[in-house]
Amino acid sequence: SCGKDDIPSTRSTDASLLQAKLGQLVPNSRWQLTKALYTVGDVDFNAAWAKMEVKFTADSTFFYRNDNIYDPISKTTKPKKTLVESHKYAIDGEKICIGDEVFQVISADSKQLNLSSETIKIQLSGRVNSSDP
């Protein structure tokens, strides 16, 4: 989890403004996961699934995969949402801590969030407010 050693003890005005902006953009929202790069040594792995979503509640984040499941009996395709993983998160200044990973927020606006840690880069886009999973 995010410890106080991970966060600078003094905050600039910019960090306070970004924290306020993240506090409006993140809780109770859902985003499309458009890019997720994991770095192992000098190699990057693209780990984003097509049609994957990230949902933020007041204190947790949920990663869902959206699949179309074919039913051979009815010969129809139905959408199915599958929970891949979930983590607690915390916002502090210009950083967001998801699980054990501390991300610097590179950009934050109503249409896109770019998050970057030492080993993971995540791009979220198409913010949609929603209460469903």
Side-chain angles (χ1 to χ4, degrees):
S1 65
C2 212
K4 65 180 177 182
D5 294 339
D6 300 325
I7 308 297
S9 59
T10 58
R11 289 191 192 145
S12 68
T13 304
D14 289 344
S16 297
L17 289 172
L18 183 55
Q19 181 173 14
K21 184 182 276 191
L22 287 174
Q24 294 172 351
L25 289 176
V26 172
N28 302 313
S29 66
R30 189 177 70 216
W31 300 75
Q32 295 293 324
L33 177 60
T34 52
K35 182 190 239 181
L37 292 178
Y38 292 79
T39 304
V40 179
D42 294 332
V43 181
D44 284 342
F45 294 96
N46 187 342
W49 277 306
K51 300 179 184 175
M52 194 162 179
E53 293 181 8
V54 179
K55 179 182 176 186
F56 290 90
T57 62
D59 65 349
S60 297
T61 182
F62 301 89
F63 292 81
Y64 291 97
R65 188 178 70 234
N66 292 314
D67 296 312
N68 287 322
I69 307 299
Y70 179 73
D71 180 2
I73 295 170
S74 66
K75 297 184 180 181
T76 60
T77 302
K78 297 179 183 178
K80 180 181 179 187
K81 193 173 289 199
T82 305
L83 178 64
V84 177
E85 58 184 80
S86 64
H87 303 279
K88 295 285 188 186
Y89 77 89
I91 298 170
D92 200 327
E94 71 281 2
K95 298 185 184 210
I96 185 168
C97 306
I98 301 175
D100 293 334
E101 202 71 33
V102 180
F103 293 94
Q104 185 76 31
V105 179
I106 306 302
S107 67
D109 62 40
S110 63
K111 297 291 183 188
Q112 185 168 314
L113 281 176
N114 289 323
L115 311 175
S116 182
S117 73
E118 288 184 24
T119 57
I120 304 172
K121 292 179 181 170
I122 297 176
Q123 182 178 70
L124 304 173
S125 63
R127 178 175 169 248
V128 178
N129 285 328
S130 177
S131 59
D132 47 287

